Amino acid sequence: GACTPCPRGTFRAEAGAVDVSQCLPCPEGTFSGSEGANACESCAAGSYVTLNSTDANGFGTSSGGEVCALCPAGRESTAPNSVLCTSCASGESSTAGEACAACKPGTFAATAGA
């Protein structure tokens, strides 16, 4: 019969696996978005690793990541391979996937996470 691919969020670098338990979860900060991966991919700054593409809250997963998603507006990740997007401070804002920046003259953000 045919070989079965390792599930999303896992990888197998060596040949000869005999069981799905030999497909290892992607380490923290990396992800595997397709079945049958032989390595996990890095996630760029401005994004975070999560389990689900519909997850948009900026709180990811520590292992077995399947998606690299942009941080939502008002949150940022300044380093690659993040699993969490932190809130912008008061007086700062961001758009999705961008770093927090000070509010421009004539504007304000009274609360964190704007």
Side-chain angles (χ1 to χ4, degrees):
C3 295
T4 303
C6 288
R8 288 169 48 121
T10 68
F11 75 105
R12 174 74 184 176
E14 296 84 27
V18 296
D19 188 74
V20 69
S21 66
Q22 292 176 295
C23 300
L24 304 175
C26 289
E28 183 171 323
T30 65
F31 72 103
S32 166
S34 59
E35 294 182 340
N38 60 15
C40 297
E41 300 176 59
S42 293
C43 191
S47 303
Y48 68 107
V49 176
T50 186
L51 293 174
N52 191 321
S53 60
T54 61
D55 174 13
N57 64 8
F59 298 98
T61 185
S62 58
S63 71
E66 298 180 15
V67 178
C68 180
L70 289 178
C71 287
R75 302 178 73 83
E76 70 176 351
S77 69
T78 56
N81 301 335
S82 294
V83 295
L84 175 67
C85 302
T86 56
S87 291
C88 296
S90 298
E92 295 181 339
S93 68
S94 74
T95 56
E98 298 296 321
C100 296
C103 292
K104 293 179 176 146
T107 68
F108 69 96
T111 58

